[in-house]
Amino acid sequence: MTLPAGIARTLSATDLESGAEGLDGALGDGKDKWRLTMRSEAPVAAMSLLRSPTGHHSNLSTAPDRAGQ
């Protein structure tokens, strides 16, 4: 997927596992763990959020990898 500067997109687990419009490929049936890799020519922020059935959000993101900077 390619996003222009200044654009955000929300992807659900179903989008990532089954594929969604604008995505190249799919990650599978969700039985295993997977990792989303991003590339950018400029700094970018990505968050992994979990929304509970009650509508609460938890941030599952880890600290950015600063190695090699």
Side-chain angles (χ1 to χ4, degrees), residues 11-65:
L11 299 169
S12 70
T14 301
D15 293 336
L16 296 172
E17 292 168 359
S18 301
E21 184 177 339
L23 295 180
D24 295 329
L27 299 174
D29 59 14
K31 292 182 181 177
D32 295 313
K33 293 183 179 184
W34 42 265
R35 180 182 297 210
L36 180 63
T37 302
M38 298 174 39
R39 289 186 301 263
S40 175
E41 295 174 0
V44 64
M47 295 178 67
S48 177
L49 301 176
L50 173 70
R51 182 175 54 200
S52 73
T54 59
H56 295 89
H57 290 85
S58 295
N59 185 351
L60 304 176
S61 305
T62 60
D65 181 5

